[in-house]
Every structure is written in structure tokens, then in C-alpha cells.
Amino acid sequence: MKLYVQANENFAMRADGEFLGNFKTTAAIDSVVPAYFEILPHFFGEPFCFYLNYRPKSHKNAVFYTLPQGDVLLSVTFLPQKNNGFKLLYQTYLEPLDALITVYRDGAVKLVAENSHDAETVNIPFGAEDFAAEVFNGDIAVYSRSGQKFACIFRAEDLSLKFFKIVDDLEFTPVFRTKTRLGGIERTTAFCEWSPDKNGFSASVNNIERENPWEPSSDEKFAKRAFFERIQNKLPVDEMLSPDLLPNKDLLADFLGSFDRVLPDFCTEKGVLLSYKGEQTRLVKCFDLDFENGKICNLREI
């Protein structure tokens, strides 16, 4: 079995105390046997340790993927070192709605919205310490103004959460707009407008920018990854499809199912690996595409 590791910063690894090396965000360890592994970030964050047996379990900052060939991919996000001291970060009273908004850090960063009848608590990302709150379209909007940005919108009547999203930029005017860097191989940025609906808010994409867009002349390996990343992010793929496949464009997402990630290329020598949510290790399927004159003419599972 081979163990692949992908992390959000450079790291070192040990197995049963034996030093395996220093790595730049990715590692591939051959002929892995059950052992106690330690993954140690070079700069900031908490180390991650686990015992690799034949059924590794995912954790809040690490997800295991069982690859079709029996290998394992571990995706690690090193969590920041926690500051366990209490600190009040923000507090304001929204008089029109009789609502008190409080943000504080006590190990984790928490946002509390409360009135005389109800209260709602939300865990928010580390790194955010500058906040604002206002009444927006009759509801309560709370958002960060610097660092990692996010926005929460609570229903005024019962303080239930209508919206929570981490974004790269946001704007509250008569219209709520966000900017999100989707990244991926095309380095895509989506600009959205959010409108209230019966379930909360729904987005309409009013602009898409790509730094490295797909073209019919693009390499097939590039085109494959771009296609699956667009499907994952619910972005149009019409221009990528052959005339014969275009009428069936609405069936493609259903055929692939609700996958949550396109796995790195170094995990496979053929096709593209997609992962699906699971409680312990993630289910992984492999798909491939066929091309005709630079456009996709067939999608198949392999």
C-alpha cells in the first residue's frame, strides 16, 4: 500500500518514531505498513498524529480517501494553535430588532446572536477579529471586515441561521454580493449575487473570471481536470462538449453523483479521481473522458 499525503503547508513525517523526511505540501510513502504516524507542520499549526491500520478514520482536520488501487490519500489541514484566553472581539446592540450580537474568543471563536426570546451560536473561522453587524433586508447580517472573511445572516424573528459562507470579499448594499476564488486548474473566481428564498439565500453567478481558461487546443489532461472542477462548482461546461454530447449536458452531473472533491493528479496514472462523502474513509471513483476535435464526446467510469 502507498500513502499519499497532501497538506496546507510544508511538513515533516515520522513513522513509529523513525524520521521519514521533510516534504513540500505533498508526500508519497511506498510500502506502508500499519504504524503510528506523526505529521508535523514546519511553521504554524497543531501536529496531526494517527495510527494507520486498514480502516483509518477521518478527523476534523484530516480526511482519508481509499483509492481504487488500494492506496490511501490523507488530506491534512493544520489547525492553528489555540489561544485559550478569553477575549471579547465585538459587541453591538441592534435596537430596531432588539438583538445583541457578541463575538468572543475562548479557545475557538464564537458568534452569539440573542434577543429576549432566542439565541443562536455559530463557530467562525480563526483569523477573523474585525467585525460588523447591521440590519439587512429586515434580517441580521454579521460579517468580518478583514483577514479571512465570512458572512452570517440570521432571521430576525427567531435568530435561526439563513446564510453562512466563507468568501474572499463581500458587499452589503441593497444587494448582497460575494467574490469567491474557486481556484482549481483554471484559477477561477466567481462573482455572485445572493437573493432570499424559502430556505435561506440562493446565488446567481453574474460573472466568472478565469486566469487560465480551457480552450479546445488545451492538453487533454488539463481539459479533464477543468471539466470535473466545473461540474463540482456547478459552473457551465457547454463550451467543452461536442455537438453530440451537448444535448445531454443536464445528465452529466447526475451520472457523476454528488462528489465533493477532485483528487490530486499524483494519486493516479489514468483518469480523474472523485471523492464522495463518508463517515470514515471517503469513497473514491475514477472517471475518464474521450475527446473529438478537442471537445468532450464521452464520459465513462473506469
Side-chain angles (χ1 to χ4, degrees), residues 91-132:
Q91 190 169 58
T92 190
Y93 177 66
L94 300 175
E95 186 174 358
L97 299 179
D98 185 30
L100 178 67
I101 306 298
T102 306
V103 185
Y104 65 93
R105 184 176 63 230
D106 187 10
V109 180
K110 296 184 181 292
L111 161 64
V112 180
E114 56 188 316
N115 57 26
S116 56
H117 305 287
D118 301 290
E120 182 73 28
T121 301
V122 178
N123 293 319
I124 60 178
F126 278 93
E129 293 197 351
D130 183 17
F131 302 91

Side-chain angles (χ1 to χ4, degrees), residues 243-255:
D244 290 339
L245 189 57
L246 186 59
N248 297 313
K249 65 178 182 178
D250 295 334
L251 303 177
L252 299 178
D254 290 339
F255 177 74

Side-chain angles (χ1 to χ4, degrees), residues 48-152:
F48 177 72
C49 306
F50 64 100
Y51 182 78
L52 181 63
N53 52 26
Y54 294 102
R55 296 190 67 184
K57 295 182 180 180
S58 297
H59 298 264
K60 61 183 178 181
N61 61 322
V63 179
F64 289 93
Y65 303 85
T66 302
L67 306 180
Q69 59 270 36
D71 298 329
V72 173
L73 168 66
L74 169 61
S75 180
V76 179
T77 301
F78 294 114
L79 298 179
Q81 297 284 353
K82 292 183 179 180
N83 180 347
N84 291 320
F86 179 88
K87 182 180 180 181
L88 180 64
L89 300 175
Y90 177 77
Q91 190 169 58
T92 190
Y93 177 66
L94 300 175
E95 186 174 358
L97 299 179
D98 185 30
L100 178 67
I101 306 298
T102 306
V103 185
Y104 65 93
R105 184 176 63 230
D106 187 10
V109 180
K110 296 184 181 292
L111 161 64
V112 180
E114 56 188 316
N115 57 26
S116 56
H117 305 287
D118 301 290
E120 182 73 28
T121 301
V122 178
N123 293 319
I124 60 178
F126 278 93
E129 293 197 351
D130 183 17
F131 302 91
E134 62 183 72
V135 178
F136 174 70
N137 286 345
D139 290 320
I140 300 169
V142 186
Y143 52 95
S144 59
R145 299 189 295 188
S146 62
Q148 189 175 29
K149 294 189 177 181
F150 73 95
C152 291

Side-chain angles (χ1 to χ4, degrees), residues 164-212:
F164 176 79
K165 189 172 180 65
I166 300 170
V167 296
D168 290 284
D169 204 0
L170 53 86
E171 178 184 71
F172 278 101
T173 62
V175 179
F176 175 34
R177 298 184 177 91
T178 62
K179 171 185 175 182
T180 304
R181 293 184 181 89
L182 302 174
I185 201 166
E186 294 184 285
R187 297 193 293 274
T188 302
T189 299
F191 299 83
C192 297
E193 291 188 356
W194 296 85
S195 303
D197 59 26
K198 62 180 181 180
N199 297 316
F201 278 78
S202 59
S204 59
V205 180
N206 58 3
N207 191 29
I208 297 171
E209 294 182 359
R210 297 185 174 96
E211 296 179 37
N212 190 27

Side-chain angles (χ1 to χ4, degrees), residues 248-289:
N248 297 313
K249 65 178 182 178
D250 295 334
L251 303 177
L252 299 178
D254 290 339
F255 177 74
L256 294 171
S258 299
F259 66 98
D260 64 345
R261 188 181 175 196
V262 182
L263 298 188
D265 289 337
F266 62 73
C267 296
T268 183
E269 295 180 357
K270 59 182 180 179
V272 177
L273 298 175
L274 309 181
S275 78
Y276 299 77
K277 289 186 177 180
E279 293 183 358
Q280 296 185 358
T281 58
R282 300 290 176 93
L283 172 67
V284 176
K285 296 181 181 180
C286 188
F287 293 89
D288 207 355
L289 304 173

